[in-house]
């Protein structure tokens, strides 16, 4: 299976930030239609796209803050044709698995019909900065960074009239097994996005 080159995100789209904040909502109903690749590109870039390139002195930056810029959370995109890891520097999707996991992103019945999903995976093998000095804080860092990414996705969805829901009720063991994640890669949450019904 091949990696997917995403179209460039539409950075010139206009929608007032204050309006996105006002309209941000959890919506658990969506059409079954797949999202266009342009929409997927915009969602992923909003979530944690690159906003500053790396230099010799410093690592790249993304749309989300990150403790010590450790960028612990990776975003996996779940499409009909399989699961892909989002590489923000190249703005592309790297092939992970050809299994369609969209029906197991959440344990609630309505989550089984997801047209597009995100899996937030905290990669604790990146033993940078704060985790090295205080292991006990790692789940706070994982949850916080995921929360920022998810909120960016929520705001984009509000601006593009898409339904979205962040999901804690996930069978993480099952999903991790299907994806072949080792014990250092921890699923924090999943999120579904679809066209408003
Ligand atoms: C950390 C977190 C976990 C959540 N998990 C779920 C979930 O498993 N299932 C679900 O239907 N909604 C879930 N939600 C969505 C909340 O139910 C929703 O945000 C809340 O009802 C408030 O609605 P609003 O987002 O429209 O303001 C979660 C939200 C957060 C912040």
């Amino acid at each position: 299976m091949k990696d997917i080159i995403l179209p460039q995100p539409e950075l010139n789209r206009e929608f007032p930030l204050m309006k996105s904040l006002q309209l941000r909502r959890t919506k658990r109903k969506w059409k079954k239609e797949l999202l266009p690749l342009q929409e997927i590109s915009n969602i992923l870039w909003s979530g944690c796209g690159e906003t500053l390139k790396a230099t010799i002195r410093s690592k790249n930056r993304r749309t989300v803050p990150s403790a010590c810029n450790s960028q612990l959370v990776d975003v996996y995109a779940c499409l009909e044709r399989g699961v892909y890891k989002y590489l923000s520097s190249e703005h592309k999707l790297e092939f992970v698995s050809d299994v369609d996991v969209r029906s197991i992103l959440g344990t609630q019945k309505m989550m089984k019909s997801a047209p597009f999903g995100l899996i937030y995976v905290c990669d604790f093998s990146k033993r940078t900065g704060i985790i090295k000095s205080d292991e006990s804080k790692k789940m706070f860092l994982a949850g916080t960074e995921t929360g920022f990414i998810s909120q960016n996705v929520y705001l984009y969805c509000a601006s593009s009239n898409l339904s979205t829901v962040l999901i804690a009720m996930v069978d993480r063991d099952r999903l991790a097994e299907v994806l072949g994640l080792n014990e250092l890669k921890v699923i924090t949450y999943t999120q579904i996005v679809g066209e408003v019904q």
Side-chain angles (χ1 to χ4, degrees):
M1 283 284 190
K2 285 213 178 96
D3 296 349
I4 300 175
I5 305 293
L6 294 166
Q8 284 305 301
E10 297 174 301
L11 302 189
N12 291 324
R13 274 173 73 114
E14 288 188 14
F15 195 87
L17 174 63
M18 298 304 257
K19 201 76 196 159
S20 290
L21 288 163
Q22 188 194 26
L23 294 176
R24 187 214 60 79
R25 195 86 291 144
T26 295
K27 292 181 187 158
R28 300 177 184 82
K29 284 190 177 155
W30 36 73
K31 291 185 186 164
K32 62 176 185 335
E33 276 76 19
L34 304 178
L35 292 181
L37 207 53
Q38 183 65 61
E39 206 60 292
I40 290 172
S41 162
N42 292 350
I43 291 165
L44 290 166
W45 186 86
S46 304
C48 60
E50 185 176 84
T51 49
L52 270 183
K53 294 257 168 241
T55 65
I56 303 166
R57 284 181 199 179
S58 76
K59 198 164 152 183
N60 71 335
R61 303 297 167 94
R62 310 192 292 179
T63 55
V64 274
S66 170
C68 298
N69 198 20
S70 50
Q71 303 185 8
L72 288 173
V73 175
D74 292 317
V75 176
Y76 289 65
C78 308
L79 312 175
E80 190 181 30
R81 59 180 122 160
V83 181
Y84 295 77
K85 185 172 161 185
Y86 175 55
L87 304 183
S88 56
S89 299
E90 294 150 80
H91 193 62
K92 76 171 196 185
L93 292 173
E94 182 183 68
F95 176 73
V96 174
S97 162
D98 58 9
V99 180
D100 180 359
V101 298
R102 293 173 305 153
S103 62
I104 57 167
L105 292 173
T107 54
Q108 294 153 280
K109 203 173 167 194
M110 79 277 265
M111 306 306 176
K112 302 201 185 305
S113 62
F116 174 71
L118 302 167
I119 304 173
Y120 300 118
V121 178
C122 194
D123 183 355
F124 290 121
S125 66
K126 298 178 188 169
R127 297 192 49 77
T128 50
I130 209 160
I131 291 192
K132 251 199 244 164
S133 57
D134 189 352
E135 184 85 13
S136 70
K137 298 287 190 301
K138 70 180 190 184
M139 289 315 282
F140 291 112
L141 302 175
T144 305
E145 197 170 301
T146 304
F148 280 115
I149 298 172
S150 171
Q151 174 74 348
N152 282 2
V153 172
Y154 261 99
L155 292 176
Y156 175 76
C157 289
S159 77
S160 196
N161 194 32
L162 296 168
S163 292
T164 193
V165 55
L166 179 68
I167 309 172
M169 284 186 259
V170 183
D171 185 342
R172 290 174 175 75
D173 291 342
R174 185 175 174 205
L175 204 47
E177 195 186 326
V178 172
L179 291 179
L181 300 178
N182 66 32
E183 69 286 354
L184 290 173
K185 295 193 176 180
V186 175
I187 296 171
T188 51
Y189 298 94
T190 63
Q191 186 159 0
I192 290 172
V193 182
E195 286 181 19
V196 169
Q197 206 178 36

